[in-house]
Amino acid sequence: MNFSEIPKTELHLHLEGAAPPAFIRQLAAEKGVSMDGVFDENGTYVWGNFVEFLATYERACEVLKSPEDFGRLVTAVLEEQASHGVIYTEMFLAPDFCGGGDLVAWKEYLAAMTEAALASPVEARFIPTCVRHFGPEQARVTARVTAETAGGLVTGFGMGGDESQFSAADFAYAFDIAREAGLGLASHAGEVEGADSVRETLDHLRVSRIGHGVRAIEDPALGKRLVDEGVVLEVCPGSNISLGIFADLQAHPISALREAGVQVTVSTDDPPYFHTDMTAEYRGLSESLGWTQDDFNAINRTAMQAAFCDDVTRSKLMAKFNGA
Ligand code: HPA
Ligand code: ZN
């Protein structure tokens, strides 16, 4: 199999976390912003654990200061996606870094990102995302600006950040605002915290997709709930291994979850931080876990079914994964 050429759908990709290191260094040089401590001597992002990863991520975001910067970032990231065979992608992006919750500013950022995405060969949608460790009040601000701009490429609302902070219930109001606006809902859970975190997220945020969710494997009753309720997991194996949640693909639960009937999809999360890309993910699943073209078609159909897009786009893209 030529892994880069297999058509792919990616549902879990952070726009800021996908920024190529060279792109961030270039912007930092243009603006005279210090990136001391962000990169190592090989030019890759430096972090040692999950909390440090989030801190480096936020430091790198300090160079992204204008709508034009974000437009350039969308172009760079979607070009990279296309080179790995991705034909449909949903990008998490944090309005906190796009004007801090000011609606007028956010609309300018969104316009620049939309223009860049529409000019790219990849069909893209945006999932504005609140950052859990910024707290529930800021999450409501993020939900409000997202709801105000729902439509166009803005089709979902999500939550990332430090899963150990606050409880899912604290964010219920923000997710209610987004649900009311007709947006698809997704939240990180079951990545650095266990099954209880996934359960609370389903109970209080009522999302159709869980970012990661892999630690649901620790609780068979939760696994059954995911199957019964048709919850889709955005699994990012390379990210989980890089963060030390599982030692390697053999120890990763993606195949076990799938065999239990849980709907799984495959994404990269923050590729340069985790030294991965969609080609490497597919190659790993094939070489370490024996996944075949049929398996890849199946997970991509699952992803298109769960995608936050209109049905015309869904059927058009679904046709690429019918195994012909
Ligand atoms: N987990 C939680 N929050 C994040 C991540 C992640 O992997 N990437 C960017 N924000
Ligand atoms: Zn993520």
Side-chain angles (χ1 to χ4, degrees):
M1 269 186 274
N2 184 329
F3 295 105
S4 66
E5 284 177 5
I6 298 174
K8 303 172 185 74
T9 294
E10 180 159 33
L11 298 183
H12 190 119
L13 177 75
H14 298 263
L15 172 64
E16 308 89 352
F23 177 91
I24 293 293
R25 275 196 301 275
Q26 171 70 28
L27 276 189
E30 284 172 24
K31 294 166 195 285
V33 175
S34 162
M35 285 283 105
D36 271 4
V38 172
F39 299 106
D40 66 14
E41 63 283 2
N42 301 317
T44 57
Y45 291 113
V46 182
W47 53 272
N49 56 36
F50 181 65
V51 170
E52 283 177 28
F53 153 72
L54 292 173
T56 300
Y57 188 106
E58 284 163 31
R59 281 282 318 284
C61 286
E62 286 170 18
V63 303
L64 296 162
K65 288 182 183 296
S66 67
E68 193 209 342
D69 296 343
F70 271 86
R72 282 165 69 184
L73 177 57
V74 166
T75 301
V77 169
L78 290 178
E79 259 171 33
E80 178 71 14
Q81 294 281 95
S83 78
H84 293 290
V86 174
I87 58 173
Y88 177 84
T89 194
E90 290 184 3
M91 293 194 283
F92 296 122
L93 50 100
D96 296 280
F97 303 128
C98 301
D102 178 81
L103 181 59
V104 173
W106 161 243
K107 284 183 175 169
E108 286 169 11
Y109 280 85
L110 186 57
M113 292 189 284
T114 300
E115 189 184 335
L118 292 177
S120 111
V122 180
E123 186 77 47
R125 297 292 182 273
F126 299 140
I127 306 181
T129 300
C130 60
V131 179
R132 188 165 180 147
H133 54 274
F134 293 174
E137 244 165 69
Q138 190 59 21
R140 285 198 284 275
V141 171
T142 303
R144 277 195 205 99
V145 298
T146 303
E148 287 287 344
T149 50
L153 298 189
V154 175
T155 55
F157 178 72
M159 178 161 70
D162 187 349
E163 193 187 343
S164 70
Q165 305 286 312
F166 302 98
S167 66
D170 295 328
F171 300 92
Y173 189 74
F175 276 74
D176 286 347
I177 293 170
R179 185 180 304 101
E180 192 77 7
L183 293 159
L185 303 178
S187 178
H188 286 63
E191 178 191 20
V192 295
E193 296 292 320
D196 283 348
S197 171
V198 177
R199 201 175 288 107
E200 286 162 18
T201 299
L202 293 175
D203 287 346
H204 297 287
L205 306 185
R206 296 190 279 138
V207 295
S208 63
R209 298 185 348 211
I210 295 276
H212 302 287
V214 281
R215 290 187 53 192
I217 197 73
E218 295 165 10
D219 180 343
L222 175 61
K224 183 169 183 316
R225 177 173 176 187
L226 296 177
V227 176
D228 292 346
E229 296 182 9
V231 176
V232 172
L233 302 187
E234 304 154 359
V235 180
C236 308
S239 161
N240 296 155
I241 293 164
S242 187
L243 281 166
I245 295 164
F246 303 101
D248 53 28
L249 273 175
Q250 311 294 340
H252 193 283
I254 187 166
S255 284
L257 286 163
R258 220 177 142 220
E259 280 152 23
V262 177
Q263 299 188 56
V264 306
T265 61
V266 170
S267 297
T268 56
D269 212 6
D270 306 280
Y273 284 86
F274 301 137
H275 310 289
T276 188
D277 55 51
M278 284 297 268
T279 302
E281 297 290 341
Y282 278 47
R283 183 181 295 113
L285 291 165
S286 168
E287 293 177 356
S288 296
L289 300 182
W291 285 32
T292 64
Q293 182 64 58
D294 283 349
D295 294 312
F296 293 132
N297 281 334
I299 56 158
N300 279 305
R301 283 197 302 269
T302 299
M304 278 322 305
Q305 206 59 56
F308 299 152
C309 68
D310 59 278
D311 287 337
V312 173
T313 306
R314 194 188 319 283
S315 359
K316 188 182 82 187
L317 292 172
M318 191 69 99
K320 315 260 185 201
F321 301 117
N322 277 340

